[in-house]
Amino acid sequence: MQRYLKVLRLFWSAAIASEMEYRINFIIAAVSSLGNLVGSLFSLFLFYRTGYTFTGWSWDAALIILGIFTLLQGFSATFLAPNLNRIVRHVQEGTLDFVLLKPIRSQFWLSIHTLSLWGIPDLIFGLLIIGYAGKKLGLGIDKYLLGILPLACGLVILYSLWFILGATSIWFVKIYNLTEVLKGFLEAGRYPISAYPATYRLFFTFIVPVVFLTTVPAQIILGQIQFTWLIGTVFLAILLFFISTRFWRFALRFYTSASS
């Protein structure tokens, strides 16, 4: 474990040094994130401006979900996209050979080799929205602490889904369309699950588990959900991470390397 932490520190220090060479990009990313956030707030406002509310969700409660969704966007932009989108390039160019020869697990290397600072504005905005909405709702620190575990599980679920799609590049080199479809489905997480018809709620719970990414963590923070949902979230996170690991090992059986 200590060796992996040392490797992680070396990777990220190099990545940050590289990213800081283009500091103006951070300002551009912050403006872009702010624009996306304003758009999300406006679209949510359109529902609530006439007094309409999603069943069981006040305006401030819906903001908690939007804040968690923004956090997930920042996590994806900071950690997932810079790493997992490169799996395709490694397969295309044959550089995956060098990854597999390194004395650390290939999944670990591919998942954390770099990071992007341009997702940090979304992380900050997400925390600010959650803090603002929580203050309006009178939430205590204990409520936020309860939300840490389901939120962490949501990050694991998101990572696992993304990595499984990345692993399919062993067979299908161009998987850009698949990742865009996944991102499109995940956009549904910006609203409470009760905003959708019953058929869509089933789909976003059991097929693409969007409900476990935003709605369940928000409900746990708000104290609106049973403990069994938390158990289900933890179980799903562990299961999907296990599947992603096994699926990667299975996919490597079909990788013939650049020299074959």
Side-chain angles (χ1 to χ4, degrees):
M1 178 61 69
Q2 185 176 359
R3 179 166 65 95
Y4 278 83
L5 291 176
K6 182 179 180 180
V7 170
L8 182 64
R9 185 175 68 252
L10 292 173
F11 281 165
W12 285 3
S13 60
I16 291 173
S18 176
E19 293 282 353
M20 290 302 291
E21 294 180 5
Y22 308 95
R23 299 179 185 179
I24 191 65
N25 288 351
F26 184 82
I27 299 176
I28 296 174
V31 173
S32 176
S33 297
L34 183 59
N36 290 334
L37 179 60
V38 171
S40 297
L41 287 171
F42 179 72
S43 63
L44 188 64
F45 171 75
L46 292 178
F47 288 102
Y48 284 85
R49 65 185 178 88
T50 59
Y52 172 83
T53 60
F54 298 125
T55 304
W57 294 90
S58 64
W59 165 258
D60 294 320
L63 285 181
I64 295 287
I65 285 191
L66 181 58
I68 293 175
F69 175 79
T70 306
L71 274 179
L72 291 177
Q73 280 191 316
F75 174 75
S76 298
T78 303
F79 300 102
L80 299 186
N83 288 291
L84 302 185
N85 285 346
R86 294 187 179 185
I87 297 178
V88 176
R89 193 176 70 185
H90 285 305
V91 175
Q92 287 178 324
E93 300 177 357
T95 52
L96 184 59
D97 296 13
F98 302 107
V99 176
L100 298 176
L101 291 174
K102 296 182 184 299
I104 57 175
R105 291 181 179 273
S106 57
Q107 183 173 353
F108 176 82
W109 194 98
L110 292 168
S111 301
I112 58 87
H113 180 252
T114 189
L115 56 79
S116 174
L117 300 179
W118 319 136
I120 292 180
D122 276 333
L123 294 174
I124 295 174
F125 292 146
L127 291 174
L128 289 176
I129 293 175
I130 294 173
Y132 169 80
K135 183 177 180 180
K136 297 285 288 185
L137 292 168
L139 301 179
I141 188 65
D142 58 320
K143 298 294 185 181
Y144 292 114
L145 293 177
L146 286 175
I148 291 177
L149 178 59
L151 181 58
C153 290
L155 298 179
V156 173
I157 292 171
L158 181 59
Y159 159 78
S160 300
L161 292 174
W162 203 315
F163 190 83
I164 290 171
L165 284 183
T168 62
S169 62
I170 299 293
W171 299 279
F172 314 105
V173 177
K174 294 183 179 180
I175 62 167
Y176 178 78
N177 291 337
L178 288 178
T179 57
E180 287 301 307
V181 169
L182 176 62
K183 289 168 64 176
F185 283 138
L186 296 179
E187 287 288 326
R190 71 173 69 241
Y191 304 114
I193 194 63
S194 60
Y196 302 98
T199 302
Y200 288 90
R201 290 200 295 268
L202 289 173
F203 179 82
F204 289 132
T205 301
F206 299 104
I207 307 301
V208 181
V210 174
V211 64
F212 295 99
L213 300 179
T214 56
T215 299
V216 170
Q219 287 179 315
I220 290 177
I221 291 174
L222 297 170
Q224 298 178 352
I225 199 169
Q226 296 179 354
F227 186 71
T228 52
W229 278 94
L230 176 59
I231 299 299
T233 304
V234 174
F235 173 78
L236 181 63
I238 295 174
L239 176 63
L240 284 178
F241 183 78
F242 176 79
I243 291 175
S244 70
T245 301
R246 293 295 180 181
F247 186 73
W248 175 245
R249 295 178 181 176
F250 172 76
L252 287 179
R253 298 178 186 176
F254 297 87
Y255 178 66
T256 55
S257 83
S259 58
S260 300

